[in-house]
């Protein structure tokens, strides 16, 4: 199982970013996919998840601003992040629950003016 995140960067408050997580090594369409984040000095937290049938779940802190989606033909999960705030600054990880938890290497998102 391999997960490779991309799309992070530096953005001003109010800006947008789109994260991607390209996967391989398992039947993507069958599994729950999630995005987590970890800020310095804080625990890793769930940001959003999407089931194999497309049911979405979001942390309260990102509802209405972030959208998780998946493309089963491309084995990729996305996180569209709008109206970004400084408190969204973190290392963002892709997660696949394929019997066990698998993680990507993370992509840094920094929201700062």
């Amino acid at each position: 199982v391999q997960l490779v995140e991309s799309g992070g960067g530096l953005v001003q408050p109010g800006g947008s970013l789109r994260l991607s997580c390209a996967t391989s090594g398992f039947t993507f369409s069958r599994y729950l996919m999630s995005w987590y984040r970890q800020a310095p000095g804080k625990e890793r937290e769930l940001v959003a998840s999407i089931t194999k049938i497309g049911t979405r779940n979001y942390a309260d802190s990102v509802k209405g601003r972030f959208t998780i989606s998946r493309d089963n033909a491309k084995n990729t999960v996305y996180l569209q992040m709008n109206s970004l705030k400084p408190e969204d600054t973190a290392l963002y990880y892709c997660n696949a629950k394929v019997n066990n938890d698998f993680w990507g290497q993370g992509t840094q998102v920094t929201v700062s003016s």
Side-chain angles (χ1 to χ4, degrees):
V1 175
Q2 286 194 321
L3 308 172
V4 180
E5 302 98 334
S6 62
L10 173 63
V11 63
Q12 292 187 341
S16 298
L17 284 174
R18 187 194 195 205
L19 306 184
S20 300
C21 174
T23 75
S24 61
F26 65 106
T27 307
F28 177 82
S29 62
R30 295 183 181 177
Y31 294 96
L32 176 75
M33 296 297 301
S34 303
W35 286 96
Y36 286 74
R37 67 186 181 187
Q38 188 167 19
K42 295 187 176 182
E43 294 187 353
R44 192 173 296 189
E45 63 174 354
L46 176 66
V47 175
S49 61
I50 184 167
T51 69
K52 60 183 180 180
I53 62 170
T55 302
R56 297 169 171 85
N57 180 58
Y58 297 97
D60 287 344
S61 59
V62 307
K63 282 181 181 176
R65 301 188 298 121
F66 290 10
T67 302
I68 189 171
S69 61
R70 66 191 298 160
D71 185 335
N72 290 339
K74 295 183 177 180
N75 296 334
T76 300
V77 61
Y78 304 97
L79 186 68
Q80 177 67 45
M81 305 186 296
N82 299 328
S83 302
L84 282 161
K85 304 175 181 180
E87 50 262 44
D88 294 318
T89 295
L91 192 58
Y92 283 70
Y93 295 93
C94 179
N95 171 271
K97 294 193 184 299
V98 185
N99 301 320
N100 298 315
D101 278 319
F102 290 89
W103 300 91
Q105 81 288 351
T107 185
Q108 179 67 40
V109 172
T110 302
V111 185
S112 175
S113 56

